[in-house]
Amino acid sequence: MDESRQSSWTGAGAALRKAVPPPALCGFLLLLALIFTVSYVVGAGAGPVAPGMHGSGTSRDGGDGGGGVDDMGDMQGGHG
């Protein structure tokens, strides 16, 4: 009678072990979350990279800093 109870517990334990991810995966995900958290904190502490730089606005063809072909000057392929 003790054997039947013990085998039912081992079956439940096996099902529980299948539902839980492997410890290596849990450790990897924890390390990944820790790295992202540390990098976010360091980036927030460093501040913006270029505080004076702003986007060109809503239009691409006439705004400041649009970077069109006119900005390239006389670079027409070596004719000179």
Side-chain angles (χ1 to χ4, degrees):
M1 189 181 239
D2 289 332
E3 291 177 15
S4 63
R5 274 193 241 158
Q6 189 176 10
S7 65
S8 67
W9 281 104
T10 57
L16 182 62
R17 278 191 297 257
K18 284 185 178 183
V20 175
L25 179 63
C26 293
F28 173 73
L29 293 176
L30 184 65
L31 182 65
L32 192 65
L34 180 69
I35 289 172
F36 278 118
T37 303
V38 169
S39 68
Y40 177 79
V41 169
V42 169
V49 175
M53 185 182 294
H54 297 290
S56 62
T58 56
S59 66
R60 291 181 113 192
D61 57 349
D64 292 328
V69 178
D70 294 343
D71 292 340
M72 295 182 73
D74 260 349
M75 295 177 63
Q76 299 293 326
H79 301 328

